[in-house]
Amino acid sequence: MPHDVPAASSPLLELAIDLHRDGDLPLAVQLADALRHAATIGQLRGGDRLPSTRALARHLAVSRTVTAAAYEQLHAEGWIVGRRGSGTYVTTSPPGARSDAVPPPVLQHRHAEHPMIVLVPGVPWADGIDRAIWRRAWRAAADTAPDLRPQRAGLLSYREAVVEHLLRHRGLVVGGWTPENVLATGGTSTALGELAAAVLPRGAKVAVEEPGYQRAVGALKTAGIEVVPAPVDHSGLVVDDVPGDVAAVYCSPAHQFPIGGRLPAERRIALIERARSESWLIVEDDYDGELRYDVAPLPVLASMAPDVVVHLGTTSKILTPTLGVGWMLAAEKITTAVQRHRERIGVGPAAAGQRVLVELARHGDLGRHLRRLRRELSQRRAIVVERLAAEGVSVFGDRAGAHVVLPLPDAETEQRVVDEAAERGIVLDGLRRHHDGPQRWHGLALGYAACTRDELEAALPVVARLCRRTCT
């Protein structure tokens, strides 16, 4: 972490942080939870400078390993950002504000004093974006007259580009889908919050995969929705176990987050049949939909049942979450309701990121980047699977996406591996934080997109040894 910060210069050192040294949770987890809570309730605000890990460790009378691990976890979640030569700061738009953004510069932050290799899921291969193409798209996007009025649905050119993208890269059977069925969004969790507020009655029940995407859980709860767990297995959502008294089901059929299952065709059909017979709305989060390996594509739910499916997508994983754009594909009655909601509260999607995506798509640069991205991640996935297998460590959930799951026997082992990896300069993601209720799955969700290949090769043997040692 950057240079020591005097106590008086950081609001963090004024907070009462109570760490239970005899408690069940590791001190690093307690500290990360406390800082996250402080940012959520406004005790820490966007732009606040934080003390260095060494200064905070002295202040709390703990080891620097504890403070470093807590900071790196918050880096990985997007709550804090490091600025080279300046310090570490609370982000201006933390995840608690329903943002999809987990900025790649945060995760790839390096400092000679405390270098870390970040192996967490949900982070794109931002280094693979061709900088010349990126600059050209932004220049072209900026070369437009200012908008006089907000376009609540999003730019028509953007919505046309999304339909073309879904046709070419997600196999969407267009049928009756048109740009009028598409809304620009600020990302998946933002779109989910809008959908809940515009379409679902307050207090309605929504089934969400458990474990699953906790920002989706947060967005729904913020909108006054009661979240009920829907269990998953190695093939994704267990359709037969979805509670019957729900208004909607949120799922990630392309690559269930974080377990990694691909929902098979028979379950997709069963889900649609239940939705129609029980009047559910299916919210399809197309997480990692563009990334699959060694398997044939499965039809997106929106193609199979446009009458009951709302399809959500984002550029966060294929480009960067800092672009801040996504899409919602739905029947006209739903897109109309969401636009009315936007009119009522006076919000709409920002146009800048939309224009950038339009430019990338117009010149074919988006398609070329996706092909390069698939090649790179396919090679990294092979490295991960082969290196870990050679070390006697099994994985699953590797047929799609940019992360795999390393199973571990229990929560204690999981936390021990995470903590010991942090001491060795490797940030790992335990499955614990992806549960809204009691932990049912134990292990690591190991992402391989954010780091360099050299870092990946260096970290894998260390992770494998930790997993083997803690399990014996």
Side-chain angles (χ1 to χ4, degrees):
M1 285 290 160
H3 317 289
D4 280 358
V5 179
S9 68
S10 174
L12 174 54
L13 299 186
E14 303 299 321
L15 299 181
I17 298 176
D18 186 18
L19 299 180
H20 300 283
R21 298 170 196 273
D22 297 326
D24 294 332
L25 286 180
L27 293 178
V29 175
Q30 294 183 46
L31 178 56
D33 288 346
L35 300 185
R36 197 183 297 109
H37 177 69
T40 300
I41 65 176
Q43 288 180 323
L44 291 176
R45 300 179 180 178
D48 281 348
R49 186 181 182 182
L50 303 184
S52 71
T53 55
R54 181 179 290 113
L56 183 58
R58 285 199 302 266
H59 177 69
L60 297 175
V62 297
S63 75
R64 186 162 167 263
T65 299
V66 170
T67 55
Y71 272 23
E72 291 299 337
Q73 181 62 41
L74 296 175
H75 271 303
E77 295 175 10
W79 290 95
I80 60 178
V81 61
R83 300 176 188 170
R84 188 174 299 278
S86 174
T88 301
Y89 296 81
V90 178
T91 57
T92 56
S93 180
R98 290 210 326 248
S99 166
D100 279 291
V102 181
V106 173
L107 296 180
Q108 294 172 348
H109 175 70
R110 300 285 184 269
H111 192 274
E113 181 186 357
H114 190 67
M116 300 292 285
I117 298 173
V118 179
L119 301 180
V120 299
V123 187
W125 182 47
D127 284 346
I129 299 174
D130 186 297
R131 296 300 187 266
I133 291 172
W134 189 246
R135 287 193 296 270
R136 182 176 71 185
W138 275 101
R139 284 197 298 269
D143 190 21
T144 57
D147 294 317
L148 298 179
R149 293 173 57 86
Q151 299 192 45
R152 305 296 187 196
L155 303 174
L156 176 60
S157 58
Y158 174 77
R159 291 181 282 128
E160 290 172 339
V162 167
V163 170
E164 181 70 13
H165 172 78
L166 293 175
L167 172 65
R168 289 181 174 273
H169 301 290
R170 293 301 294 120
L172 179 73
V173 178
V174 176
W177 294 121
T178 69
E180 281 64 45
N181 296 110
V182 177
L183 296 181
T185 72
T188 299
S189 55
T190 301
L192 189 58
E194 290 184 314
L195 181 67
V199 176
L200 300 177
R202 195 168 184 86
K205 293 182 180 179
V206 174
V208 177
E209 295 168 328
E210 174 74 0
Y213 185 39
Q214 293 307 297
R215 289 187 187 171
V217 171
L220 289 168
K221 289 182 177 180
T222 300
I225 298 299
E226 180 182 349
V227 174
V228 296
V232 302
D233 61 16
H234 289 279
S235 296
L237 180 70
V238 183
V239 177
D240 291 343
D241 291 344
V242 175
D245 59 341
V246 299
V249 177
Y250 168 90
C251 60
S252 47
H255 191 223
Q256 198 279 329
F257 183 83
I259 302 304
R262 296 177 73 243
L263 197 66
E266 59 271 20
R267 289 198 191 180
R268 294 176 187 234
I269 293 171
L271 178 61
I272 290 167
E273 289 177 347
R274 283 199 69 183
R276 285 172 171 159
S277 65
E278 300 179 44
S279 299
W280 296 348
L281 187 66
I282 301 172
V283 183
E284 176 184 30
D285 180 349
D286 199 35
Y287 176 76
D288 281 345
E290 294 90 352
L291 306 173
R292 63 181 182 274
Y293 316 113
D294 304 335
V295 290
L298 288 167
V300 294
L301 296 177
S303 287
M304 300 172 67
D307 54 322
V308 294
V309 174
V310 176
H311 180 93
L312 304 181
T314 177
T315 59
S316 292
K317 307 304 181 292
I318 59 175
L319 289 168
T320 165
T322 61
L323 194 59
V325 293
W327 50 85
M328 177 190 299
L329 180 72
E332 183 179 353
K333 63 180 180 181
I334 291 177
T335 57
T336 298
V338 173
Q339 288 186 76
R340 287 174 178 166
H341 169 73
R342 291 176 175 178
E343 288 285 354
R344 283 195 301 271
I345 64 175
V347 301
Q354 296 176 53
R355 290 196 173 100
V356 170
L357 190 76
V358 168
E359 293 301 325
L360 291 172
R362 176 178 296 154
H363 297 287
D365 295 327
L366 180 60
R368 283 186 287 273
H369 171 72
L370 278 174
R371 289 190 291 273
R372 185 167 173 242
L373 175 67
R374 291 187 185 112
R375 284 195 301 270
E376 174 68 19
L377 294 185
S378 178
Q379 292 166 5
R380 291 186 179 211
R381 172 248 191 179
I383 290 171
V384 169
V385 174
E386 291 169 5
R387 297 291 191 277
L388 292 177
E391 297 278 353
V393 176
S394 63
V395 303
F396 58 82
D398 61 315
R399 293 296 187 90
H403 79 271
V404 298
V405 177
L406 284 64
L408 292 171
D410 51 50
E412 182 180 356
T413 302
E414 173 188 304
Q415 191 59 55
R416 189 160 58 244
V417 172
V418 171
D419 290 344
E420 293 189 11
E423 293 175 2
R424 291 161 175 78
I426 302 169
V427 181
L428 297 177
D429 184 32
L431 294 181
R432 170 187 173 273
R433 76 180 186 93
H434 302 294
H435 289 76
D436 186 43
Q439 186 170 359
R440 301 177 182 180
W441 292 73
H442 305 99
L444 307 172
L446 189 147
Y448 49 83
C451 60
T452 67
R453 280 212 202 185
D454 288 344
E455 289 172 334
L456 185 63
E457 295 266 15
L460 288 173
V462 179
V463 174
R465 286 195 295 271
L466 289 175
C467 289
R468 287 201 316 270
R469 184 165 62 81
T470 56
C471 292
T472 56

